[in-house]
Amino acid sequence: MNDRDSFGSQFGALVAMAGSAIGLGNMWRFPYLVGTNGGAAFIIIYIVLIIFITLPIFFSEYLVGRISKANTFRAFKKLAPSSHWGIVGILAAISPFLILSFYCVVGGWSLYYLLKAVTLQLESPSADYSAMFTNFVSGKYEPLLFLFLYLFLNGWVVTSGIKNGIEKFSKIIMPLLIIMVMFIAIWSMTLPGAGAGLKFLFYPDFSKVTPHTFLAAIGQSFFSLSLGCGTMLTYASYIKEKSYVVPTCIYTATADTLFAILAGMAIMPAVFAYGISPSQGPGLVFVTLPYIFSHMPLGTLFATLFFFSIFLAAITSSISILEVPVTFILEEFKIKRKTAVKICLSVITVTGILCSLSEGLLKNIHIFGKDLFDLFDFSSSNIFMTTTALLTVIFVGWKMKKGTVTNALSNNGKRKINPIYVTGVYYTIKYIAPVIVAVIMIRGLF
Ligand code: PFF
């Protein structure tokens, strides 16, 4: 396919990949995990695990996309013709539907809260923010309206393609996001009593480190680097030949980790300055923080910046997830990008509505003991993503030739990389990564 779209520059590709990695996971889970798992001790473990385990898994996904220059299904088919490995690509193209079903619902919530902040509705210190959140998310119309708006924006970016849509958008949004979160962090750290939040984040407490800490760190790094649902594979397939594999992945992981730490510095000092104990997930973002903003001078300004940041972090991730099935459909069925986007969004609109309504109208529907929102979340993270990642590393380690993998890692020798490093990465992919991913998978299931 000669007219395949591609990223215009290596830098643009890098920004888009960082945009995918930096998302809700960085803002609402990482800071909490750090604080409850030994502060700096967790950060050190997280970084070491990324270097030795997650990066080799990242390289594997990246390599498959880059060598094949195709969608998830065709990629495995091209590299292993007349085999059944294409199924991995199909699995990879299914998980985005599951993830987007709930991720976009939350994206819609962030838009709603942004609107609330801008219209000065997060100003009252006596408001019950917990009830406000529950009332909103359990509603029949409002959350759906914001879900549709959020989906429309995703569709608009992805319809414009890789270079003119995703790359351009990410290049504008990512610097804006980083500047805003830096600004919030500076302000947050200067609040009286902020030191307790910094201590929560950075005081190295090795007594809190347990085997669970390692699994939590690796699971988080995995989700945070968008692995296991074909995103990095698909993005890599649009990156030009001359870009270097190893540095691109390392830069993405570095940006993602630094941003996660920055998000912690923006959130935790403010939480502790107001004497609140931190939670994670929606409770932190949509209940605790609005409460804090309403109590502080310039609260509306910071609430606006904050919810705008959440929205931007979410959308640069969700467009990357949407691109996976869009590329798959447009290439396999030879249809226009716009049509592929419409098909994918139609499905996600239906599943998204189900997820959103499971917070209210459909809350009594439980499958395997979970409401629909949790079911989509659980099955994507704990079944589809882990299975895809496991099969991808097995594919790269056992099915592809060692020479093909090591050549790709060093860009056919054009990039001077220590051969010991390349060999180390290869054997990690072959022997260690499958075991680790299998452990994460088993732990996630039981
Ligand atoms: N990395 C994103 C986050 O941390 O929020 C989530 C994500 C994006 C997961 C893309 C998977 C994916 F393919």
Side-chain angles (χ1 to χ4, degrees):
M1 221 180 262
N2 295 329
D3 54 353
R4 202 168 188 265
D5 202 351
S6 70
F7 285 105
S9 67
Q10 188 167 354
F11 177 71
L14 189 64
V15 176
M17 284 170 77
S20 170
I22 293 172
L24 293 171
N26 302 56
M27 309 267 297
W28 80 16
R29 212 162 111 79
F30 182 85
Y32 177 83
L33 279 181
V34 172
T36 48
N37 282 284
F42 180 86
I43 297 181
I44 294 166
I45 291 169
Y46 184 81
I47 293 172
V48 170
L49 287 175
I50 286 203
I51 294 173
F52 290 103
I53 310 289
T54 318
L55 267 176
I57 300 175
F58 193 172
F59 296 150
S60 309
E61 247 199 49
Y62 192 101
L63 283 178
V64 174
R66 203 191 125 90
I67 298 176
S68 63
K69 300 222 163 303
N71 65 75
T72 49
F73 170 70
R74 193 59 47 194
F76 285 96
K77 270 287 203 213
K78 263 191 180 173
L79 298 178
S82 51
S83 74
H84 294 300
W85 281 97
I87 293 172
V88 185
I90 299 201
L91 270 184
I94 294 176
S95 352
F97 290 105
L98 299 172
I99 303 177
L100 286 176
S101 307
F102 65 90
Y103 208 87
C104 291
V105 170
V106 182
W109 295 350
S110 69
L111 273 177
Y112 173 80
Y113 270 77
L114 174 61
L115 187 74
K116 282 233 148 207
V118 176
T119 53
L120 313 181
Q121 291 180 65
L122 297 181
E123 286 210 316
S124 160
S126 58
D128 181 346
Y129 287 101
S130 176
M132 178 191 275
F133 177 64
T134 316
N135 286 340
F136 164 63
V137 299
S138 61
K140 272 191 261 175
Y141 305 110
E142 269 183 325
L144 296 186
L145 196 71
F146 285 90
L147 166 67
F148 298 154
L149 179 60
Y150 185 82
L151 286 173
F152 173 80
L153 294 172
N154 277 268
W156 172 65
V157 177
V158 175
T159 302
S160 306
I162 299 295
K163 195 183 332 163
N164 295 326
I166 292 178
E167 180 173 354
K168 249 193 199 160
F169 184 74
S170 307
K171 271 186 172 164
I172 300 169
I173 297 309
M174 291 313 287
L176 187 65
L177 173 64
I178 293 168
I179 291 170
M180 288 197 307
V181 178
M182 269 185 177
F183 188 61
I184 302 175
I186 292 170
W187 152 83
S188 177
M189 285 187 295
T190 50
L191 291 169
L198 291 175
K199 187 170 170 221
F200 176 75
L201 276 179
F202 295 122
Y203 176 76
D205 183 355
F206 283 92
S207 70
K208 292 223 184 97
V209 173
T210 62
H212 166 82
T213 309
F214 289 83
L215 288 173
I218 197 112
Q220 170 68 13
S221 70
F222 208 70
F223 184 77
S224 200
L225 285 175
S226 310
L227 300 178
C229 75
T231 306
M232 291 307 183
L233 188 161
T234 304
Y235 269 11
S237 78
Y238 286 115
I239 296 179
K240 290 200 178 120
E241 198 65 56
K242 58 182 190 300
S243 77
Y244 292 122
V245 177
V246 171
T248 310
C249 296
I250 293 179
Y251 293 149
T252 306
T254 308
D256 183 54
T257 308
L258 288 178
F259 186 89
I261 296 172
L262 181 67
M265 289 159 67
I267 293 169
M268 289 309 167
V271 170
F272 279 84
Y274 282 83
I276 299 174
S277 87
S279 59
Q280 64 170 331
L284 171 72
V285 169
F286 298 109
V287 179
T288 309
L289 289 168
Y291 169 84
I292 292 171
F293 292 132
S294 72
H295 277 76
M296 61 181 30
L298 295 181
T300 288
L301 170 70
F302 285 101
T304 306
L305 287 178
F306 180 76
F307 287 110
F308 195 33
S309 305
I310 290 280
F311 162 65
L312 296 183
I315 194 165
T316 48
S317 295
S318 52
I319 52 174
S320 74
I321 311 178
L322 178 58
E323 184 55 42
V324 177
V326 166
T327 300
F328 170 75
I329 293 179
L330 79 85
E331 289 185 353
E332 291 308 311
F333 300 100
K334 315 249 177 310
I335 54 174
K336 285 203 194 104
R337 171 171 278 273
K338 194 171 179 175
T339 316
V341 172
K342 279 189 189 154
I343 295 173
C344 293
L345 284 185
S346 310
V347 177
I348 298 159
T349 303
V350 175
T351 51
I353 290 175
L354 291 175
C355 277
S356 180
L357 292 181
S358 76
E359 298 291 309
L361 192 66
L362 305 181
K363 81 166 170 285
N364 292 328
I365 298 184
H366 283 91
I367 299 173
F368 301 120
K370 296 187 185 316
D371 67 29
L372 294 171
F373 191 108
D374 291 344
L375 184 73
F376 280 85
D377 183 0
F378 179 86
S379 57
S380 56
S381 312
N382 297 321
I383 301 175
F384 280 83
M385 289 169 83
T386 39
T387 308
T388 307
L390 179 63
L391 293 174
T392 306
V393 284
I394 291 177
F395 179 81
V396 174
W398 295 89
K399 179 80 191 165
M400 284 173 74
K401 293 208 178 73
K402 184 177 174 206
T404 313
V405 176
T406 50
N407 274 345
L409 285 172
S410 65
N411 286 59
N412 299 322
K414 280 190 220 106
R415 175 101 192 164
K416 291 259 162 301
I417 296 187
N418 191 331
I420 299 177
Y421 178 74
V422 173
T423 311
V425 166
Y426 179 74
Y427 285 111
T428 305
I429 294 172
K430 195 171 172 98
Y431 296 107
I432 303 176
V435 176
I436 303 269
V437 181
V439 171
I440 300 177
M441 194 171 161
I442 292 165
R443 178 178 164 264
L445 285 177
F446 304 103

